[in-house]
Amino acid sequence: MRRAEALIGGTWHEEQDGTRFTVHDPATGAALAEVADCGAELTRLAVDAAAAALPSWRAMAAHERAELMRRAAAELTERAGLIGEIMTAEQGKPLAESTAEVRAGAEHLLWAAEETRRLYGSTVPGAGADHRVWLLPEPVGVVAGITPWNFPVSMITRKLGPALAAGCTVVLKPAEQTPLSAVAVAEAFTAAGLPPGVFNLVPTSRPALFAETVMADPRVRKVSFTGSTEVGRELIRRSAQDVKRMSVELGGHAPVLVFPDADPVAAAAAVARAKFLNAGQACTSPNRVFVHRDVAAPFTAALVERAEAITPGVDMGPLIDAAALAKVERHVEDALAGGATALTGGHRLDRPGAFYPPTVLAGVRDNMLVCREETFGPVAPIIEFDDVDGVVARANATPYGLTAYLWTADLNRTLRVAEELEFGMVAVNGGPLAPPQAPFGGIKNSGYGREGGSLGVADYLDYKYLSVGLGR
Ligand code: NAD
């Protein structure tokens, strides 16, 4: 069993009274490691370190900051196999997905490193001949990050990359289910020579205490959160006290729209990839699959075939814990009781660990639980439709607004429907959603702020306006 600690000001710390929490393998339930369970005091110490490191980090030449970030990306890439194994042990996803995530996480860092050189300000025409207006980008300051367990490495680098590029320093709290991947990321940054205090890692099993401590600290100028809408809402409320900047990447309830002119087999293959990735535990996971009646039969057959080709425990991991498994069961049982049919899967597997098989439900109606709440599991609910004009309103009928998927060969329909969909991201005919150059993020109850692209870096910048009189 490993031991893991907090990284504060460049040194590894235990909680003073030795308090620790245990991390478990969701595939077996076995204890994997004991991790320092940081309380308010260590959290404040981490903010001290981030505040002390801020002046020199923000003043460092952009190309030097970029070089350190590139080195950290190289360290992560070099350790992708090792970190992947750690991630698979504590999160459950297959090793191929874990190592791919570490590499993708490094790509986010690299992209942000390049963006460091392009933190341009601007000049604006003044109010008169003797007036100049300049905009100067400045880092927001000390940032607190809170990340979820479903993508334990890339969720961290998607915050760290742009924050460090902007010249901010960071105190990050990983999810209590996956602190070991976060420790491995921190080790990579340390090996890369990042100055002490620029990135501080504070594992804890008491997330509310961490949030309370950083929210109460006026030195923390921004909180960047990825997780559930419920917790995000509470953090937004608390941020009002000190008027902190917030970025909140929250839950989703993604619709898929497969129109009659789409290739149903290609669409089904892409839906299977998006749906069963990470056992359906992704905020972008398709939650409602609207398929036009004309293509429903070949689409459904191809999706079932893909689902049945997946072997749980080999190609797909377990859910994160017993509560997640119970939620998936509740959603499927509700759908079956309401008249839906499980074409494959539909019940938990008779084996240890939180495994649920890839499941395809037919005959689903909009009022079922699967259509209203985020399932966060490997369940694809198919809803057939006839009314091409009405389906967009049905897709929009959710408080969430993160991702929508659209399948059509008709350019006019692509543009018309994409504009009507009330989501932060629309993937058309299988376009990838989270490359580093794209601004990932939602609207409505899915949150605000963007991660990735130049907009992602802008989330960590303030623009100071200089009004200059020439005094002639
Ligand atoms: P969660 O909100 O319970 O946990 C996420 C993080 O918040 C963890 O670090 C957790 O320790 C912390 N947290 C929990 N309670 C807290 C509190 N009271 N104060 C401060 N922090 C607290 O979410 P979860 O269920 O573990 O994660 C899955 C959710 O995350 C899903 O809703 C999913 O859609 C969402 N998610 C969104 C995105 C996105 O980019 N929009 C990406 C991944 C996951």
Side-chain angles (χ1 to χ4, degrees), residues 359-427:
T359 295
V360 178
L361 298 177
V364 171
R365 289 200 314 274
D366 300 37
N367 62 349
M368 293 174 175
L369 268 183
V370 277
C371 289
R372 291 186 283 117
E373 290 179 14
E374 205 179 5
T375 305
F376 238 53
V379 180
I382 297 180
I383 310 162
E384 286 188 25
F385 72 93
D386 283 315
D387 176 10
V388 167
D389 294 328
V391 74
V392 179
R394 291 169 74 188
N396 285 339
T398 166
Y400 294 109
L402 190 62
T403 317
Y405 299 85
L406 170 57
W407 286 85
T408 175
D410 178 334
L411 181 61
N412 289 343
R413 175 175 281 149
T414 299
L415 293 178
R416 209 174 48 245
V417 173
E419 285 177 11
E420 284 170 7
L421 283 167
E422 296 166 356
F423 295 84
M425 301 177 283
V426 180

Side-chain angles (χ1 to χ4, degrees), residues 147 149-150 173 176 225-228 249-251 283 374 440:
T147 51
W149 48 263
N150 55 350
K173 189 208 78 61
E176 51 275 35
F225 171 77
T226 300
S228 60
E249 300 280 358
L250 308 176
C283 52
E374 205 179 5
F440 187 101

